[in-house]
Amino acid sequence: MSLANRNLVTIDDLSNQEIEAVFSLADEISDSMNQQSSVCQGKIMASLFFEPSTRTRLSFEAAMHRLGGRVISVVEMGNTSLAKGESIADMARVVGSYADIIVIRHPWEGAAKVVADYASVPVINAGDGGHEHPTQTLCDLYTIKKERQTLEGLKIALWGDLKYGRTIHSLAYALARFGATIHFRPGSGLGLPEHVIRKLTTEYGGMLERYNDTKGADREMLFPLDAIYITPSKPHQLVNIPDVSIQIELKKGVDALYVTRLQRERLEPMAEGQELERDYPVVNKKLLKEKQFRQTLVMHPLPRIDELAYEIDADQRSMYFKQAAWGVPIRMALVALLLGAKQVDIPEKEGATFFLKIDYPAYNRDFGVRCKNKKCVSAQQTEKGYIKPGFKIVAHKPLTLRCVYCEHETHPPYIASSKWHQGIVDYKRYYDADSFMLGRIQPENLIIFDSKAIAQAEGFKPGKKALRG
Ligand code: NCD
């Protein structure tokens, strides 16, 4: 099967079978590294890095060189016409006419999707703000597979900055799809964002059991826990577990402990970095002496700050330099596949993949409601001229819209119907989103407002029924 001309914007752009196929090709490439130098001969990769990077950029570029291709690159926004106010859509169109494949890292969430929408060549997301980093996930899963021989049904602990860590988001989705049980241990105030939790518990079908200090997750414990994601493959084992069972569950240990640094560059301007650091988990020699970590792989996407002690580098369980090293064969396999220079057999796998592609209704009116995430590509001044807000309606109670770019959720308070008022201005009314009126309006007629002022500016008056005080 060919993956030619596909994009990799989120980890869900690859099925589990396709991920396994990338890994088989990476194995093949690793075994014959010196025979790859004509695979992508004559092809050009554009490497656009608008955020700092060592591993990701250099491993992509090394991958292209080892495949016999060439690389053109930008490593600073200040050196491009983006600094003159050019949109990333225009940049994507132009760079797509110079190169055969684009790799982009950008601080705006959803930027890689916009580049993929506008470039005429395959686009790989090398990290878009705090959203996703799918190729790091490929390196992470490949490392686990190499060490554990399987990706199915593992127990994995994710520690650190679960809020802003894009590697965490992509990895959590992929692990859930492979039927993992995931233990979350964030630094305080750095738990998983709501939209990530919703995806885990709806699209991937599992359950999230949250804990707090009164229910077994004592912060003084060596291995305190914020929440466990229970895969649908273990429907009843961990559900409604009492405190004692949590302790037993924790003592059994995990296959891998994945820790990340505090993503300082993404903190809100008012956030107190020191405050967040105070309770930040640290992996060191003392921790790894505990029985439950005897067989645990210690993983980190790097760079590290203080959360991963240098004293464990020589420990056999430490995997982080391997994760980085696998970046070259993994990215060689991926680039060769997306360029159509290699084909793969997609194995027909037994067993379920825990991933439901839910067809949420789309909401695409270009007025009334916008994404509230200031880091979303759709919220940027230079992009507003062409990006129309786009959402999926993912829940009704409360009304919840998921931005199609950054996936952040918003809960707009007012609604109206385009149908009832037609021709009769007096019927142009808006209502509370949490009133029964929401159920009465057909999705294609629904109009949603961020505020009363916006509804009124669009010519709507408050409805008599169902209005909040
Ligand atoms: C990660 C990233 O950029 O998100 N680094 C990487 O690509 N290996 C993790 C991080 O910066 O903390």
Side-chain angles (χ1 to χ4, degrees):
M1 184 185 163
S2 167
L3 296 184
N5 297 320
R6 293 257 297 265
N7 299 309
L8 180 59
V9 171
T10 91
I11 193 65
D12 288 343
D13 288 333
L14 292 174
S15 70
N16 289 14
Q17 285 73 18
E18 287 165 348
I19 290 175
E20 300 264 19
V22 172
F23 293 172
S24 306
L25 182 57
D27 283 344
E28 208 181 294
I29 287 176
S30 296
D31 291 344
S32 54
M33 198 48 109
N34 295 332
Q35 287 146 44
Q36 307 300 324
S37 59
S38 55
V39 173
C40 289
Q41 216 165 25
K43 300 285 185 192
I44 294 180
M45 169 195 281
S47 153
L48 311 177
F49 278 74
F50 301 114
E51 264 191 345
S53 173
T54 305
R55 274 151 292 275
T56 308
R57 182 170 73 84
L58 294 183
S59 63
F60 263 114
E61 296 186 1
M64 192 56 170
H65 286 299
R66 287 192 179 274
L67 291 166
R70 289 165 191 263
V71 180
I72 53 176
S73 61
V74 165
V75 287
E76 236 195 283
M77 203 155 352
N79 287 340
T80 71
S81 287
L82 295 183
K84 302 179 193 167
E86 185 174 44
S87 69
I88 56 173
D90 281 359
M91 176 196 69
R93 283 196 181 109
V94 171
V95 176
S97 70
Y98 299 159
D100 302 290
I101 189 164
I102 297 176
V103 178
I104 173 134
R105 170 171 287 191
H106 199 286
W108 296 339
E109 295 166 11
K113 172 177 161 47
V114 173
V115 173
D117 288 347
Y118 284 87
S120 53
V121 297
V123 171
I124 301 175
N125 180 6
D128 56 336
H131 179 221
E132 281 215 41
H133 190 350
T135 65
Q136 180 63 46
T137 294
L138 294 179
C139 301
D140 301 339
L141 293 180
Y142 188 65
T143 307
I144 297 173
K145 174 113 199 246
K146 284 273 178 213
E147 300 297 320
R148 288 282 182 267
Q149 280 71 52
T150 181
L151 290 173
E152 311 279 339
L154 298 166
K155 259 200 289 176
I156 311 283
L158 301 183
W159 283 23
D161 187 345
L162 311 186
K163 183 173 182 184
Y164 299 107
R166 55 194 174 197
T167 65
I168 293 282
H169 305 155
S170 298
L171 182 59
Y173 299 148
L175 289 172
R177 281 169 40 190
F178 281 102
T181 298
I182 312 173
H183 295 188
F184 295 106
R185 185 344 190 165
S188 60
L190 295 166
L192 286 178
E194 282 307 310
H195 68 277
V196 175
I197 293 176
R198 186 184 305 279
K199 273 180 106 172
L200 289 174
T201 53
T202 53
E203 274 102 306
Y204 310 105
M207 277 191 55
L208 197 85
E209 271 288 300
R210 289 172 194 266
Y211 302 103
N212 52 40
D213 290 353
T214 56
K215 200 186 170 195
D218 185 344
R219 291 258 168 213
E220 297 306 309
M221 280 168 53
L222 196 55
F223 190 175
L225 189 70
D226 181 69
I228 294 185
Y229 175 77
I230 303 151
T231 164
S233 67
K234 291 190 184 167
H236 304 300
Q237 277 176 331
L238 293 167
V239 181
N240 301 325
I241 34 181
D243 298 0
V244 182
S245 315
I246 302 168
Q247 306 304 338
I248 294 169
E249 175 61 25
L250 295 181
K251 287 212 173 83
K252 284 195 234 153
V254 287
D255 293 291
L257 167 54
Y258 189 101
V259 64
T260 58
R261 75 182 166 94
L262 173 63
Q263 307 283 299
R264 206 165 256 294
E265 68 277 29
R266 284 189 242 297
L267 300 183
E268 307 293 337
M270 294 304 287
E272 211 22 274
Q274 276 172 346
E275 196 60 25
L276 296 172
E277 265 167 13
R278 192 154 13 104
D279 191 31
Y280 208 84
V282 173
V283 179
N284 54 24
K285 227 174 186 163
K286 179 166 171 259
L287 181 93
L288 294 186
K289 282 205 177 107
E290 291 299 310
K291 218 168 78 200
Q292 65 260 46
F293 298 118
R294 212 173 353 178
Q295 308 282 337
T296 300
L297 308 174
V298 179
M299 302 181 68
H300 193 302
L302 300 178
R304 67 174 138 187
I305 310 297
D306 298 322
E307 67 288 343
L308 186 62
Y310 284 85
E311 64 190 12
I312 62 168
D313 288 357
D315 192 303
Q316 297 239 321
R317 293 164 289 184
S318 296
M319 290 292 129
Y320 28 95
F321 292 113
K322 280 193 186 167
Q323 279 167 265
W326 291 128
V328 175
I330 283 290
R331 291 178 170 114
M332 286 172 78
L334 181 68
V335 167
L337 287 167
L338 300 189
L339 283 173
K342 292 262 190 193
Q343 310 260 317
V344 274
D345 290 329
I346 305 292
E348 281 299 325
K349 259 287 194 65
E350 303 264 305
T353 67
F354 304 98
F355 182 34
L356 260 165
K357 276 223 178 248
I358 300 177
D359 231 349
Y360 292 116
Y363 185 79
N364 289 320
R365 293 187 197 273
D366 54 7
F367 65 93
V369 59
R370 297 202 72 100
C371 180
K372 303 285 172 308
N373 175 12
K374 290 194 191 79
K375 294 169 191 157
C376 178
V377 66
S378 72
Q380 309 307 318
Q381 207 46 49
T382 48
E383 317 303 309
K384 278 186 175 158
Y386 69 96
I387 296 184
K388 296 218 165 35
F391 299 96
K392 300 268 183 201
I393 303 176
V394 295
H396 271 194
K397 277 192 171 133
L399 176 61
T400 307
L401 303 187
R402 178 191 292 166
C403 173
V404 295
Y405 296 99
C406 69
E407 302 193 276
H408 278 235
E409 294 183 347
T410 170
H411 304 288
Y414 300 107
I415 53 164
S417 169
S418 62
K419 196 163 166 224
W420 298 335
H421 64 76
Q422 269 166 15
I424 307 172
V425 172
D426 199 43
Y427 291 169
K428 245 181 130 174
R429 304 276 175 183
Y430 67 91
Y431 302 95
D432 270 5
D434 61 8
S435 73
F436 68 90
M437 298 302 270
L438 183 58
R440 295 249 179 119
I441 302 171
Q442 295 300 315
E444 64 274 20
N445 297 328
L446 186 64
I447 306 177
I448 302 177
F449 298 115
D450 270 333
S451 68
K452 285 182 183 174
I454 293 172
Q456 286 164 11
E458 292 293 333
F460 288 79
K461 291 190 209 126
K464 289 196 184 67
K465 288 179 279 189
L467 259 190
R468 224 188 294 227

